[in-house]
Amino acid sequence: MDTHVNEIDANLNAAGLRFALLVSRFNDFITSRLLAGAQDTLLRHGAARDQLTIIHVPGAWELPLVAKTAATSGRFDAIVALGCVIRGQTTHHIHVGGEAAKGLAQVALDSNVPIGFGVLTVDTLEQAIERAGTKAGNKGAEAALGALETVNLINALKAG
Ligand code: INI
């Protein structure tokens, strides 16, 4: 008997796709590197420069609301959310990081627009640097790749 397993494997072609890159000003020293990684990744996968829109937000706390506005605008196929939450003397960072993660997940589910999660939550500045283009890679680049694969996957699924 001739049986086969159906399989859908998305490509990583960014040509023709429109991306919003949301980047927090808070901890800009780190988030600017995450942005550079995300932008570079999308361009190297075929995105057109004029299809990338960089949107600056105050901090990780504001990412979900701005992501929701971008997602529901109809202007973007995918979003990449970039931020950096570093542990402080109080529990403030826990609330900021937790709400950013929860809010972004909710926005993606509600809007059907994929959101790459590039918000670092770390204990020290050194850990942030490690994840912003040094020994632990660049989480902005990873988030961009995640958003790209997901939008192509959703489009492939819809195409049947
Ligand atoms: N915003 C961040 O992006 N990272 C942080 O580490 C951070 N901490 O710890 O305070 C932070 N706070 C600012 C917050 O995101 C809002 O912009 C601010 O509260 C104004 O609403």
Side-chain angles (χ1 to χ4, degrees), residues 24 26-27 58-62 83-86 92-93 96:
S24 306
F26 204 101
N27 290 325
W61 176 264
E62 282 78 19
C84 174
V85 179
I86 302 178
H92 189 69
H93 66 283
V96 171

Side-chain angles (χ1 to χ4, degrees), residues 43-127:
L43 292 173
R44 283 191 297 116
H45 284 83
R49 264 178 197 285
D50 63 3
Q51 300 284 64
L52 305 186
T53 303
I54 297 167
I55 302 173
H56 298 276
V57 306
W61 176 264
E62 282 78 19
L63 285 170
L65 178 58
V66 179
K68 182 178 172 181
T69 310
T72 55
S73 71
R75 291 174 53 187
F76 305 107
D77 298 298
I79 293 171
V80 185
L82 305 168
C84 174
V85 179
I86 302 178
R87 186 189 177 88
Q89 300 293 318
T90 68
T91 57
H92 189 69
H93 66 283
I94 295 174
H95 302 295
V96 171
E99 291 306 312
K102 220 185 324 158
L104 289 168
Q106 194 61 53
V107 170
L109 291 175
D110 289 347
S111 66
N112 295 323
V113 175
I115 301 180
F117 186 68
V119 181
L120 300 179
T121 49
V122 292
D123 287 333
T124 65
L125 180 59
E126 188 182 357
Q127 288 175 349

